[in-house]
């Protein structure tokens, strides 16, 4: 279980770092780096916290009851979506710069969906291995 979670966390961090690098290169090419520091930092921190928390909770549930993992996948997705909505709405209320808000929402959605796809693919593979070995 530790290897599965450590791999998930490290790959998640790598994916987030890659997305951040791509985002910074694109923003630098368009010449608007100053405006994006805060929004990008918030996106990155949200995704890092969500991925690490998801990995640690998954490990805890997997140790106690493998039968509870499907419920965890549903609950974790719902909690992550609710947290994402809270963060986006909070950002909308706190920031008045329309360009920063637009950048934040677009960047947040790109990260959110790519991490969601990664999570799905990763844990489907893990579930298949568990079922084959179980």
């Amino acid at each position: 279980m530790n290897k599965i979670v450590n791999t998930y966390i490290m790959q998640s961090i790598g994916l987030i770092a890659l997305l951040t690098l791509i985002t910074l290169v694109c923003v630098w090419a368009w010449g608007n780096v100053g405006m994006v520091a805060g929004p990008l930092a918030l996106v990155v921190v949200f995704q890092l916290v969500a991925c690490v928390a998801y990995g640690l909770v998954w490990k805890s549930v997997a140790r106690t009851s493998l039968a509870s993992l499907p419920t965890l996948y549903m609950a974790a997705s719902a909690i992550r979506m609710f947290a994402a909505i809270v963060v986006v709405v909070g950002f909308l209320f706190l920031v008045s710069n329309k360009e920063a808000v637009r950048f934040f929402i677009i960047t947040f959605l790109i990260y959110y969906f790519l991490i969601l796809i990664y999570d799905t693919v990763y844990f489907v593979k893990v579930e298949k291995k568990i079922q084959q070995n179980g």
Side-chain angles (χ1 to χ4, degrees):
M1 294 301 162
N2 284 337
K3 183 179 178 187
I4 292 169
V5 172
N6 291 340
T7 301
Y8 168 76
I9 290 173
M10 295 309 293
Q11 287 179 358
S12 296
I13 290 170
L15 178 58
I16 293 167
L18 177 64
L19 291 172
T20 303
L21 179 63
I22 292 169
T23 303
L24 288 172
V25 167
C26 291
V27 169
W28 177 76
W30 288 310
N32 213 352
V33 178
M35 179 211 51
V36 303
L40 184 58
L42 182 58
V43 170
V44 170
V45 168
F46 175 85
Q47 293 301 337
L48 286 172
V49 168
C51 288
V52 170
Y54 189 37
L56 296 176
V57 169
W58 187 92
K59 180 168 68 172
S60 175
V61 171
R63 280 186 178 161
T64 58
S65 172
L66 287 176
S68 298
L69 286 176
T71 304
L72 170 68
Y73 298 137
M74 295 295 289
S77 293
I79 291 168
R80 181 181 280 184
M81 185 186 320
F82 179 73
I85 290 169
V86 168
V87 168
V88 169
V89 170
F91 190 84
L92 291 173
F93 282 119
L94 295 175
V95 176
S96 59
N97 181 339
K98 290 182 181 181
E99 196 172 330
V101 168
R102 188 175 311 123
F103 171 79
F104 173 75
I105 290 173
I106 290 168
T107 305
F108 194 92
L109 288 173
I110 291 169
Y111 275 68
Y112 183 87
F113 285 116
L114 289 175
I115 296 293
L116 184 66
I117 291 166
Y118 166 73
D119 285 353
T120 302
V121 170
Y122 186 83
F123 285 109
V124 163
K125 288 180 181 178
V126 168
E127 279 296 313
K128 284 182 181 178
K129 285 183 182 178
I130 289 173
Q131 289 177 0
Q132 288 173 352
N133 296 333

